[in-house]
Amino acid sequence: MKLGKWAWLILCIVLIVFLIGYLQQKQQEKYKGLELIPEQTEDIPLYRGLKAESPVYKIKGNRWMDIIDFYDKELPKMGWSNITTQTSQDSTEDGAGFISNWEKQGTNWVLSISGGYFKATDQTEVIFEKREALKSIKWIETDVTEVCVNEQPDRTDDCFSLTDQQAIKRIIELINSAPEAENQQIYYDEKSVIDFGTFKITVYYDLEKGIYLVSERGTKWMKPEREFFQLTRISKEY
């Protein structure tokens, strides 16, 4: 029995509706579990080649350094300011990658972008998240008249005494204002210790990547502030 003209039209409509429903379902599955979807925002670009595969974005090959460079350049154009950026010391190790946090005026959450390369799948995976604003807890609230800085604690117990009150005050301000670090710390190779009398801070640093501050009160991270290196003299480069 031949189908009439109207029957063919109805069949085509049913097939189109079914196809649209199927594509919508696949689209929902692709984004299921993703807290933040760059394609659906106006101020968070998506690195070319990244594809959503819930609960992460993936791209073939070791691309995490290219990706972090991309966001370091593009996010400021969208009004975002970098708070912290932490990268692996060894870029060749399995799982090597980065964690970066960004804030924007008028936004009450922090944009967190993290990524890493996994050799088993030869893929770079990236996660976009909304997080609560990073806290800056004061570690030093009492007056300090003298600070003892040990440039090489693994080699000697000797330290030099710093008594310049303006310098000490500024060092404390920089330490207190530094935000708490992520739970998965990536410490740097260079190490020094700053002794405030009753309170010691171990400083792990890289002159280009950043500074970790580690104490009994937790861990903080700050950008490689030239002023901090100059005031503390923890590096012979300054």
Side-chain angles (χ1 to χ4, degrees), residues 139-223:
W139 279 3
I140 308 166
E141 299 188 56
T142 58
D143 292 334
V144 178
T145 58
E146 183 178 0
V147 170
C148 190
V149 181
N150 185 339
E151 297 178 15
Q152 299 177 317
D154 292 334
R155 296 184 181 181
T156 178
D157 292 329
D158 295 337
C159 64
F160 75 84
S161 177
L162 178 62
T163 57
D164 184 320
Q165 294 304 297
Q166 288 297 107
I168 292 174
K169 180 180 179 181
R170 183 56 183 152
I171 291 170
I172 291 174
E173 287 176 350
L174 290 169
I175 291 172
N176 283 341
S177 62
E180 290 184 300
E182 301 289 338
N183 291 329
Q184 297 179 343
Q185 291 87 10
I186 310 167
Y187 293 155
Y188 304 120
D189 292 335
E190 299 297 331
K191 177 183 175 182
S192 295
V193 172
I194 303 177
D195 189 345
F196 291 88
T198 58
F199 184 66
K200 289 184 180 181
I201 296 176
T202 302
V203 183
Y204 298 89
Y205 66 92
D206 183 289
L207 296 178
E208 296 182 356
K209 296 181 179 179
I211 304 166
Y212 276 103
L213 306 168
V214 182
S215 76
E216 61 187 19
R217 299 181 185 178
T219 302
K220 291 188 170 195
W221 185 92
M222 70 166 70
K223 297 177 183 179

Side-chain angles (χ1 to χ4, degrees), residues 58-75:
K58 296 181 180 180
I59 187 172
K60 193 72 173 177
N62 188 354
R63 306 295 295 275
W64 72 265
M65 287 186 286
D66 294 333
I67 292 171
I68 189 60
D69 286 343
F70 170 80
Y71 284 105
D72 282 345
K73 293 176 182 177
E74 297 301 320
L75 284 176

Side-chain angles (χ1 to χ4, degrees), residues 43 78-81 103-110:
D43 58 355
M78 303 290 183
W80 294 96
S81 298
E103 62 184 358
K104 185 174 183 178
Q105 188 173 4
T107 303
N108 60 3
W109 46 271
V110 168

